[in-house]
Amino acid sequence: MKIAIYGYGNLGRGVECALHQNPDMELVGVFTRRDPATVKTVLGAPVYHISDLPSYKNNIDVLILCGGSATDLPEMTPAMAADFNVVDSFDTHAAIPTHFANVDAAAKAGGHVALISCGWDPGMFSVNRLYASAILPQGKDYTFWGRGVSQGHSDAIRRIDGVVDARQYTVPIDAALAAVRSGDNPELTTRQKHLRECYVVAAEGADTARIERVIKEMPNYFADYDTTVTFISAEEMQREHAGIPHGGFVIRTGATGKEQEHKHTIEYSLKLDSNPEFTASVLVAYARAVCKAANRGETGCKTVFDIPPADLSPLSGEELRATML
Amino acid sequence: MKIAIYGYGNLGRGVECALHQNPDMELVGVFTRRDPATVKTVLGAPVYHISDLPSYKNNIDVLILCGGSATDLPEMTPAMAADFNVVDSFDTHAAIPTHFANVDAAAKAGGHVALISCGWDPGMFSVNRLYASAILPQGKDYTFWGRGVSQGHSDAIRRIDGVVDARQYTVPIDAALAAVRSGDNPELTTRQKHLRECYVVAAEGADTARIERVIKEMPNYFADYDTTVTFISAEEMQREHAGIPHGGFVIRTGATGKEQEHKHTIEYSLKLDSNPEFTASVLVAYARAVCKAANRGETGCKTVFDIPPADLSPLSGEELRATML
């Protein structure tokens, strides 16, 4: 399988590394809008300018799109799906139906397969919400995120006057997790589910009390949460907060029996040292599925909901049944 | 969707109850080898003798087979797959390839879809082993069972001279779970992973020391485990051990990055008040998928690996993308 990467930030680097773990895949190269001479890849993959991509049209089985959801992917995925089988990690949940429609039209017109919104949420968490709700229709599901770095919230803090650097961790609250696992189907407020831990490097002489107040009162981002703000040095930030960990929990509790007398809990959880590298690993597994679907002659846009699990694996159906069933 | 049940033990009763939670499904009836007059259903479903089944051939979309894996299903599933779309819960892992081949031949010849080895292990645990291993190829996975009742081990104890009743719980060992979650990829012996708790009602005057010794030394069943044996009264057995709880954990830890420097843990767990009712709920969700596959004109034997998650849900692709992705 010949794979190419478009976009080379944290996610693109993760895809490059993940491809090295999959011997049935070969990395054709990294395509970028930057000057290729300025891009150094982690494992030595060749770098090409995006303007060279059309000449690789017949030499790429799947193109993995590593742009951002805010501005890149809404344009990039439909454009690329016209000429390539593609996978993206579009994660703006509310905009998925529109994105799906745009990509589906382009992929069908071009005779290609596109898989959108892949990763872990949307992605593996979505698949687990679906399985659990289909199995336990009389139930309720809960998604918790963290403990992990929220890039969006970190950026929001960095935009505050007097802030040099910031890192925000989303933290699920243990009492809420316990209440959910008990099977009591609690109604939980935003504040009861997660708290937000902020580590901030302030500019010299900045008014830290003001910064703390601006963070805690920021609507949408922090106002609805219990938020802690800790000011640290740039050195401590570098030493203690350089990683991009994340994770979370999808829990569904439900009841069965003559009078719903038996309770059940289905829980799926992730604990990730590197959010972008794990997301990349999911994209790569689904790139294999996209390649198989294209080889079967399928076209159009798909999501993780449409992919049979077997298509993610390099093993044959026979091998899977003998070793994993 | 018109569903029928063949076999009416704990699993069949669970399927009857699960169908009541799924308004898109209708229970045609329960088919049994017993005298139908002697079978009373939980929710009043009609009961027919198995000899009447052929006359329902055109009135059943999916037949859910609720026989046992040891002797019923190896014959029942291929025989039924010739005339019906079927789902079974065949769980003799080592015999799955043979069972698959037999059922596949029968289903293809009859132009039907069969799904075998459905439930939670094999079933949801298998799906999770597959997803996790495809996403983290550099890793190792572990399955733990329990805390839950093992019917096979309980039966083995009941066959000992002087035993009136017995219940055996398989219990995952916390230290082993912790070692696995740490990401250290420990090599664990059988004894390190699970212990076995036995509750036994002895006959009056029976030699309990002998019974305990026979249990603990029983090869395959108990000799390789740390086993506790507690003698209790028939009343206590009835009061404290009437349920059939089960559950377990599928955990994969793996590493990513330039030098595999980032660790990740994927964990799927179940905590079930009723093993047969949960298994039944999985069978019912997959019956929906079998019906969809048959409506698309597919034939032959499938497993949970071959079923796109969306096929388990009563929701449309559009609804799923808008609400669960």
Side-chain angles (χ1 to χ4, degrees):
Chain A
M1 246 169 282
K2 290 177 172 149
I3 311 287
I5 297 169
Y6 180 7
Y8 199 69
N10 285 333
L11 186 60
R13 281 189 283 273
V15 170
E16 183 190 11
C17 293
L19 289 167
H20 263 253
Q21 297 188 339
N22 289 280
D24 60 335
M25 296 184 175
E26 180 197 325
L27 176 54
V28 173
V30 170
F31 292 82
T32 176
R33 287 170 292 198
R34 292 178 272 169
D35 173 1
T38 66
V39 176
K40 197 174 149 24
T41 53
V42 177
L43 296 167
V47 183
Y48 307 104
H49 192 260
I50 189 63
S51 60
D52 292 332
L53 185 59
S55 66
Y56 286 85
K57 194 166 159 17
N58 297 318
N59 201 33
I60 293 171
D61 291 312
V62 184
L63 178 63
I64 301 182
L65 304 175
C66 298
S69 293
T71 56
D72 294 336
L73 297 175
E75 310 245 312
M76 188 187 279
T77 311
M80 293 297 125
D83 291 322
F84 296 92
N85 301 312
V86 298
V87 178
D88 84 14
S89 62
F90 185 76
D91 67 358
T92 312
H93 290 259
I96 286 174
T98 303
H99 189 54
F100 182 92
N102 293 340
V103 174
D104 192 47
K108 279 188 178 138
H112 290 102
V113 175
L115 183 97
I116 62 160
S117 301
C118 188
W120 60 274
D121 197 1
M124 295 314 299
F125 272 18
S126 321
V127 162
N128 276 280
R129 284 188 284 260
L130 197 170
Y131 276 121
S133 67
I135 293 168
L136 295 176
Q138 303 275 317
K140 190 165 158 59
D141 59 47
Y142 299 82
T143 301
F144 291 86
W145 297 271
R147 186 177 191 260
V149 173
S150 164
Q151 219 61 60
H153 289 77
S154 301
D155 290 344
I157 300 172
R158 284 192 203 99
R159 286 192 291 266
I160 297 170
D161 192 46
V163 170
V164 174
D165 197 4
R167 198 75 83 258
Q168 193 270 181
Y169 296 90
T170 305
V171 185
I173 295 175
D174 284 339
L177 279 166
V180 167
R181 288 179 183 132
S182 75
D184 291 338
N185 290 359
E187 291 293 335
L188 297 168
T189 63
T190 298
R191 191 177 301 273
Q192 286 172 316
K193 286 184 72 185
H194 297 92
L195 49 88
R196 299 199 175 277
E197 278 179 25
C198 311
Y199 296 87
V200 179
V201 180
E204 221 180 295
D207 178 352
T208 55
R210 177 187 54 81
I211 292 172
E212 179 166 345
R213 200 177 56 244
V214 172
I215 293 173
K216 290 185 172 178
E217 294 175 357
M218 198 182 296
N220 302 318
Y221 284 86
F222 295 100
D224 297 334
Y225 298 85
D226 288 336
T227 300
T228 64
V229 178
T230 306
F231 291 92
I232 60 175
S233 67
E235 293 69 36
E236 186 177 341
M237 180 64 82
Q238 178 55 36
R239 195 177 64 238
E240 304 291 337
H241 303 283
I244 318 177
H246 220 312
F249 305 80
V250 173
I251 304 174
R252 186 172 181 94
T253 57
T256 64
K258 185 179 182 184
E259 291 163 323
Q260 325 301 319
E261 67 274 28
H262 293 129
K263 290 183 175 179
H264 308 283
T265 306
I266 304 173
E267 178 166 341
Y268 179 79
S269 68
L270 297 173
K271 192 164 170 291
L272 314 174
D273 273 1
S274 167
N275 182 354
E277 287 179 8
F278 185 83
T279 300
S281 296
V282 179
L283 294 181
V284 166
Y286 275 94
R288 182 181 290 117
V290 164
C291 192
K292 290 185 189 179
N295 289 342
R296 288 192 297 258
E298 299 173 22
T299 64
C301 188
K302 295 171 182 287
T303 73
V304 292
F305 295 154
D306 306 308
I307 304 293
D311 281 2
L312 302 189
S313 175
L315 301 180
S316 70
E318 206 170 350
E319 290 168 320
L320 289 173
R321 288 190 294 274
T323 60
M324 283 195 203
L325 196 59
Chain B
M1 246 168 282
K2 289 176 175 150
I3 310 287
I5 297 170
Y6 180 5
Y8 199 69
N10 285 333
L11 186 60
R13 280 189 285 272
V15 170
E16 184 190 8
C17 293
L19 289 167
H20 264 254
Q21 297 188 339
N22 289 280
D24 60 335
M25 297 184 175
E26 180 197 324
L27 175 55
V28 174
V30 170
F31 292 83
T32 175
R33 289 170 292 200
R34 291 178 273 168
D35 173 1
T38 67
V39 176
K40 197 176 149 23
T41 53
V42 177
L43 296 168
V47 183
Y48 306 104
H49 192 260
I50 189 64
S51 60
D52 292 333
L53 185 57
S55 65
Y56 286 85
K57 195 166 159 17
N58 297 318
N59 202 33
I60 293 170
D61 291 313
V62 183
L63 178 63
I64 301 183
L65 303 175
C66 298
S69 293
T71 55
D72 294 335
L73 297 174
E75 310 245 311
M76 189 187 279
T77 311
M80 293 298 125
D83 291 321
F84 296 92
N85 301 312
V86 299
V87 178
D88 84 14
S89 62
F90 185 76
D91 67 358
T92 312
H93 289 259
I96 286 174
T98 303
H99 189 54
F100 183 91
N102 293 340
V103 175
D104 192 47
K108 279 188 178 139
H112 290 101
V113 175
L115 183 97
I116 62 161
S117 300
C118 187
W120 59 274
D121 196 3
M124 296 314 299
F125 272 18
S126 321
V127 162
N128 276 281
R129 284 188 285 262
L130 197 169
Y131 276 120
S133 66
I135 293 168
L136 294 175
Q138 304 274 318
K140 189 164 159 59
D141 60 46
Y142 299 82
T143 301
F144 290 86
W145 296 272
R147 185 176 191 261
V149 173
S150 164
Q151 219 60 60
H153 288 77
S154 300
D155 290 343
I157 299 172
R158 285 193 202 98
R159 285 191 292 266
I160 297 170
D161 192 46
V163 170
V164 174
D165 197 5
R167 199 74 83 259
Q168 194 270 181
Y169 296 91
T170 305
V171 184
I173 295 174
D174 284 340
L177 278 167
V180 166
R181 290 181 182 130
S182 76
D184 291 339
N185 290 358
E187 291 293 336
L188 297 168
T189 63
T190 297
R191 192 177 299 274
Q192 286 172 318
K193 285 184 73 186
H194 297 93
L195 50 86
R196 299 199 175 277
E197 277 178 25
C198 311
Y199 296 87
V200 179
V201 179
E204 220 180 296
D207 179 352
T208 56
R210 177 187 54 82
I211 292 171
E212 178 165 348
R213 200 177 57 242
V214 172
I215 294 173
K216 290 186 171 176
E217 294 175 356
M218 198 183 295
N220 302 318
Y221 284 86
F222 294 101
D224 297 335
Y225 298 85
D226 288 337
T227 301
T228 63
V229 177
T230 306
F231 290 93
I232 61 175
S233 67
E235 293 68 37
E236 186 176 342
M237 180 65 82
Q238 179 55 34
R239 197 177 61 239
E240 303 291 336
H241 303 283
I244 318 176
H246 220 312
F249 306 81
V250 172
I251 305 174
R252 187 171 180 95
T253 56
T256 64
K258 186 179 182 182
E259 291 163 324
Q260 325 302 318
E261 67 274 29
H262 294 130
K263 289 183 176 177
H264 307 282
T265 305
I266 304 173
E267 179 166 340
Y268 179 80
S269 67
L270 297 173
K271 192 162 170 292
L272 313 175
D273 272 1
S274 167
N275 182 354
E277 287 179 9
F278 186 82
T279 301
S281 296
V282 180
L283 293 181
V284 166
Y286 275 95
R288 182 181 289 116
V290 163
C291 193
K292 291 184 187 177
N295 289 342
R296 287 192 299 258
E298 300 173 22
T299 65
C301 189
K302 297 172 181 286
T303 73
V304 291
F305 296 154
D306 306 308
I307 304 294
D311 281 2
L312 302 189
S313 176
L315 302 180
S316 69
E318 206 169 349
E319 290 168 322
L320 289 174
R321 289 190 294 275
T323 60
M324 283 196 202
L325 195 59

